[in-house]
Amino acid sequence: MTLPRPPHGFEAVDQETDAQGLVDCLDVQAGDPFHQAVTQHVFSLLPIRSGARILDIGCGTGSDASLLARLVAPDGQVVGIDPSDVMVAQAQLRVQDSALPVVFEHGDGSQLRFTSASFDGCYAIRTFQHVADPHAVLTEMIRVLRPGGRLAIADPDHQTTVVDVVERELVRRFLNWRSDTIRNGWIAHHLPALAKELGLADVRVAAMVHICSDYAALERVYHYEGGVRRAQAEKIFSADEADRLVAALRAAGEAGQFLSATTFFVTSGTKL
């Protein structure tokens, strides 16, 4: 059965009634040590040097691209693209008074405007879970890479998420529903096979686990309680079941006993 998905969110930021909330979400993640570690690992897989030209797919507010621009300066360039005008405007605003070699523009990852073999590296972080056509986006990323260029993609695999609360059956039902309603909740563990299918060489995959014991912090980003209520509206839960699960999540948080973990997979490879 195909479950309905949220109509907007990160899939269509400019249609979201609370686009600023999505900007705030990215800012929270940018300041989180785990997500910073993911970014640094992705950077370690790219040919970062002065003079390198790097493409960021799904740049959001531009925090990662701006960091990378410092590493390829003064002769290199980072180009960040995003399908959201809201995100591109935020990214441009945040670097307007800097001399960083970074450019942000509206763009569709499945139809890149760039000529073939025009970048030394290309990366995407937490992007593929939201794109409409992962195959097309990865094809384009490989196309714009120069021979010998490097690609790296990091995404959460929502099928791996675990949450420790007393309502075990309810939370399992919720996590399965949540994974299925995210556009590509499973894509992270499929990307290595897709990269090989598309001809990328030296494909490697690494796993990084996001462990969170702070329920309030997790709720600010993932909005589990809102998700539970949406699942209730879609008849995944009865009203009583939804109340019990929300109460269990809050109780675990208040008691300092909450624990959640999600595996992020980082796929990398080289264009021949």
Side-chain angles (χ1 to χ4, degrees):
M1 179 179 67
T2 300
L3 296 174
R5 295 182 288 99
H8 305 310
F10 283 107
E11 293 179 15
V13 174
D14 296 347
Q15 300 173 42
E16 178 59 54
T17 56
D18 184 22
Q20 183 58 47
L22 299 177
V23 171
D24 295 342
C25 176
L26 293 186
D27 285 341
V28 170
Q29 290 178 317
D32 178 78
F34 172 79
H35 292 289
Q36 291 172 350
V38 170
T39 295
Q40 291 303 316
H41 182 61
V42 167
F43 286 179
S44 74
L45 299 168
L46 300 173
I48 299 175
R49 60 183 181 275
S50 178
R53 193 163 187 252
I54 310 291
L55 178 63
D56 179 345
I57 302 291
C59 63
T61 60
S63 59
D64 295 334
S66 296
L67 287 173
L68 187 56
R70 292 175 170 84
L71 303 177
V72 302
D75 300 319
Q77 184 187 50
V78 178
V79 179
I81 71 161
D82 200 284
S84 164
D85 289 331
V86 170
M87 291 296 177
V88 171
Q90 278 286 326
Q92 292 172 338
L93 179 66
R94 295 178 185 200
V95 298
Q96 67 179 359
D97 296 323
S98 78
L100 290 173
V102 61
V103 175
F104 298 109
E105 60 184 62
H106 183 278
D108 179 350
S110 66
Q111 299 179 25
L112 296 175
R113 69 168 184 82
F114 310 105
T115 58
S116 298
S118 55
F119 288 90
D120 300 293
C122 188
Y123 71 97
I125 299 177
R126 299 188 306 271
T127 296
F128 270 71
Q129 61 185 317
H130 302 303
V131 302
D133 190 342
H135 185 282
V137 175
L138 186 54
T139 297
E140 282 289 88
M141 291 175 73
I142 295 171
R143 179 185 67 80
V144 300
L145 278 177
R146 296 184 176 116
R150 294 280 295 163
L151 177 150
I153 300 170
D155 255 285
D157 191 318
H158 296 282
Q159 288 186 345
T160 69
T161 299
V162 295
V163 174
D164 181 31
V165 295
V166 293
E167 295 287 356
R168 181 180 178 187
E169 190 277 329
L170 294 182
V171 79
R172 178 182 296 167
R173 198 190 313 170
F174 171 66
L175 293 174
N176 286 340
W177 168 86
R178 186 173 181 273
S179 176
D180 288 341
T181 54
I182 292 170
R183 176 174 266 165
N184 302 308
W186 49 268
I187 191 63
H189 70 252
H190 179 58
L191 281 171
L194 185 57
K196 292 175 183 177
E197 175 188 327
L198 293 175
L200 206 65
D202 190 29
V203 174
R204 301 186 183 188
V205 59
M208 303 178 72
V209 182
H210 182 210
I211 300 172
C212 182
S213 58
D214 184 339
Y215 175 65
L218 190 80
E219 180 66 9
R220 284 196 296 273
V221 174
Y222 292 111
H223 307 292
Y224 275 8
E225 293 182 19
V228 171
R229 294 306 177 185
R230 182 169 160 257
Q232 176 188 342
E234 294 178 8
K235 310 301 182 184
I236 303 300
F237 296 122
S238 67
D240 175 68
E241 289 173 329
D243 289 345
R244 283 164 44 202
L245 182 52
V246 169
L249 289 166
R250 291 179 179 178
E254 292 168 0
Q257 297 175 340
F258 178 80
L259 182 69
S260 173
T262 300
T263 301
F264 280 58
F265 289 106
V266 183
T267 300
S268 62
T270 303
K271 182 176 179 178
L272 293 175

